[in-house]
Every structure is written in structure tokens, then in C-alpha cells.
Amino acid sequence: MPNPNIQGFIFDLDGVLTDTAELHYLAWQKLADEESIPFNHQANEGLRGVSRRASLMHIIGDRPYSEAQIEEMMERKNRYYVESIQNMTPKDLLPGAIALLDELRQAGIKIGIGSASKNARTVIERLGIADKVDAIADGYSVEQPKPAPDLFLYAAKQLGLEPEQCVVVEDAGAGVDAALAAGMWAVGLGPAERVGAAHVVLPSLEGFKWADLKAKLSNIARQKHSETSN
Ligand code: B16
Ligand code: MG
């Protein structure tokens, strides 16, 4: 198998480039408290990368809410969340994010965002990285949420690339599954219990070097090739 011909990176936003995961958590926690529904940080872990509606359904479980109440709660949670992202600045980029984006751009690698969030564009602007990004796939782009491959396939298409030319960086299990289902290379950030299915697992973007990853992916491609030819 030839070396992987990587031409693009697709970054998940929340939990990868910035820690809006915590802001989503605080907004859900406020809503859950108002509704007297038990919720905590641990329960929130399962909501990483999960769409707004699916997250709410998970939180309310089998409590009998009407569709109108569900929609009102989704709006309420979003209001809390949108309020909390107003104060974001480039300082809210996670360590290593800017260095990696700049290294990739210098290497001629295209950059896309693949976020389930309908607020992704606002967050990208607040973070000051809009001019470093070639394509955005967000909560408005496709019907099927992660773990379906659709969002990342949409981003690759916008970048003009084939799936196997793309690396996805994700912090969510559902996001890693979506990347693999799309036929892309997956880098998981966080504990192996969460993102262990990815080709490469790292604690964070800090110290992440494109050159190192390239070597790792080539090794994996070589290993796969020798497994299939044996
Ligand atoms: P919104 P990602 C996801 O973003 C978040 O991880 C998840 O917690 C959130 O519910 C989802 O976006 C939808 O966000 O309510 O703003 O549309 O991780 O895919 O960047
Ligand atoms: Mg995420």
C-alpha cells in the first residue's frame, strides 16, 4: 500500500479546538436542574458530539414531555449556551490548536470543520480562525448526525477531497465512528475508553506535529497492507 496521501484535516470543534464541551455541559445542567432531572458531568460525557435533540432525549429519558415542551427545552438550553459563547476569544482555543492549524496550512493541507453544532460558525468567528478554515460542515449541513459519516463526507466534498485523503480529529466516540464509517483516518483525543477505536489516540492537540502523525499513519498503512497480503 502506498503512503497515505493526506490532503485535508477535518476538525471537530467542541472538545477539539476549544472547550465548548464544558459550556454545553453547563447549559444542559442548568436546564436539567430547572426541570428537576438528575444530570451530572459523567452523564454529560455520553453527549459529546451528540446533536441537540438527541442529547435532550437522552437527558429526559422516558419522562412524558410533549413535542412542544421538547422544543421549548431545546431553545432554552441553546439560549444558555449562546449566551455563554458571546465572551469567547482566541484565548479559548485549546493548547496546540493554532500551532497545528498553522503547520498544516504551511504544508498545503486543507482544513475543514465538521461539527454537529448549529452554533459552529459563531464559535469559529469568536475564536478568530475563520480565515484559516477552507470549509465548514455544521449542524445545518446534513440530516444524519454522527455516528453517520454524512457530516465528514460533506466536509470532504467541500474541500474537494476523497475520504481516504482526510484525517478527522475528534473527541467523541460517535465522531470517531463517523470518521471510520466515512473511510477516513481518525485521530481520537482523550481516553481510550472514549476514542480508542481511532487509528491514533492522543491526550490533546498539545505538541501534536503533522510530521509525527504522518509517520504513524504510514506505519499503520504498511501494517494493514502486510496483514492483508499474508
Ligand atoms: P448545538 P461537536 C457538538 O459539537 C457538541 O459536542 C454537542 O455537545 C452538542 O450537543 C452538538 O454539537 C450540537 O450543538 O446545540 O450548538 O447545535 O463536538 O460536533 O463540534
Ligand atoms: Mg466534539
Side-chain angles (χ1 to χ4, degrees):
M1 187 187 269
N3 273 345
N5 175 26
I6 307 295
Q7 298 293 332
F9 263 63
I10 303 172
F11 291 91
D12 171 59
L13 189 57
D14 297 343
V16 169
L17 294 179
T18 185
D19 198 12
T20 41
E22 183 62 17
L23 301 179
H24 279 293
Y25 161 69
L26 292 171
W28 283 128
Q29 183 72 65
K30 186 163 177 189
L31 179 88
D33 289 348
E34 285 166 355
E35 296 293 321
S36 305
I37 301 174
F39 187 66
N40 56 28
H41 246 124
Q42 202 192 337
N44 187 65
E45 279 302 297
L47 304 183
R48 277 175 187 265
V50 177
S51 73
R52 197 182 307 166
R53 178 175 284 270
S55 298
L56 178 62
M57 299 319 273
H58 199 85
I59 292 169
I60 65 178
D62 53 13
R63 288 170 184 80
Y65 285 105
S66 67
E67 175 57 25
Q69 288 173 312
I70 287 172
E71 281 181 16
E72 183 280 322
M73 286 191 282
M74 282 165 58
E75 271 170 38
R76 203 183 336 152
K77 181 269 175 177
N78 193 51
R79 233 178 18 247
Y80 299 149
Y81 177 67
V82 168
E83 241 169 62
S84 71
I85 58 177
Q86 297 315 312
N87 301 325
M88 286 182 86
T89 72
K91 287 201 179 110
D92 291 303
L93 279 161
L94 285 170
I98 271 293
L100 178 61
L101 292 177
D102 288 342
E103 184 194 3
L104 290 171
R105 286 195 75 82
Q106 267 166 26
I109 302 281
K110 288 188 177 161
I111 294 172
I113 301 291
S115 167
S117 175
K118 290 187 167 161
N119 297 296
R121 278 172 197 271
T122 311
V123 173
I124 289 163
E125 266 156 37
R126 293 260 180 278
L127 292 174
I129 55 169
D131 59 343
K132 298 186 193 291
V133 168
D134 301 297
I136 299 175
D138 65 12
Y140 295 104
S141 304
V142 297
E143 293 276 316
Q144 292 294 317
K146 304 170 191 178
D150 306 34
L151 189 78
F152 293 136
L153 291 173
Y154 180 97
K157 206 164 177 192
Q158 298 283 308
L159 293 174
L161 299 176
E162 296 300 323
E164 64 274 15
Q165 295 181 301
C166 298
V167 173
V168 168
V169 187
E170 258 291 349
D171 69 315
V176 169
D177 292 346
L180 297 176
M184 298 178 181
W185 295 94
V187 173
L189 301 185
E193 308 87 71
R194 198 168 79 206
V195 292
H199 293 102
V200 174
V201 175
L202 297 169
S204 75
L205 288 184
E206 204 164 9
F208 182 119
K209 290 266 181 306
W210 165 223
D212 296 344
L213 180 73
K214 209 168 167 179
K216 276 191 189 164
L217 295 183
S218 299
N219 276 339
I220 294 171
R222 219 170 298 131
Q223 253 169 23
K224 273 194 188 167
H225 180 63
S226 67
E227 274 164 27
T228 47
S229 55
N230 277 335

